Amino acid sequence: IINDSGAYILDWSHATQGNASGDVAITYLKMTLYYPELADKYIKLFCKKSDTALQYVQKWLPIAAALQLLTASEKEKEFLHKWLDVID
């Protein structure tokens, strides 16, 4: 939700299931594609508020990109393929 008072991320599709950092990675990738100016702020704020290392969330990015490829548009697929090999 983006309005005059700020931007808010609501991820209720699988609330309390799975790893929160995986969900953040998926949201971050979507934001990077459509709202790049908010994406870095979002991931850093999540890490700060949850006391999660940024590097830990970043390790989820290739997994999140592969998952998103299942339902991605052609534009999104091109973007997501760039994230598949981003591993230490």
Side-chain angles (χ1 to χ4, degrees):
I1 300 172
I2 299 174
N3 61 29
D4 292 340
S5 62
Y8 305 90
I9 306 298
L10 304 175
D11 181 6
W12 291 105
S13 63
H14 298 97
T16 72
Q17 295 180 354
N19 188 298
S21 294
D23 290 339
V24 169
I26 290 170
T27 303
Y28 173 78
L29 290 174
K30 289 179 181 179
M31 290 181 78
T32 300
L33 186 58
Y34 296 104
Y35 304 101
E37 67 283 356
L38 296 177
D40 285 332
K41 289 180 185 179
Y42 166 72
I43 199 169
K44 288 176 183 174
L45 184 60
F46 168 81
C47 290
K48 180 180 177 182
K49 297 258 182 191
S50 66
D51 195 28
T52 302
L54 178 61
Q55 295 82 1
Y56 179 73
V57 178
Q58 290 170 331
K59 288 183 179 187
W60 281 91
L61 290 172
I63 298 164
L67 177 64
Q68 292 302 298
L69 280 170
L70 297 172
T71 58
S73 69
E74 288 306 313
K75 177 184 176 183
E76 293 168 334
K77 285 180 182 179
E78 182 180 332
F79 168 78
L80 292 168
H81 275 285
K82 296 175 184 175
W83 287 93
L84 294 179
D85 295 325
V86 182
I87 297 179
D88 291 348

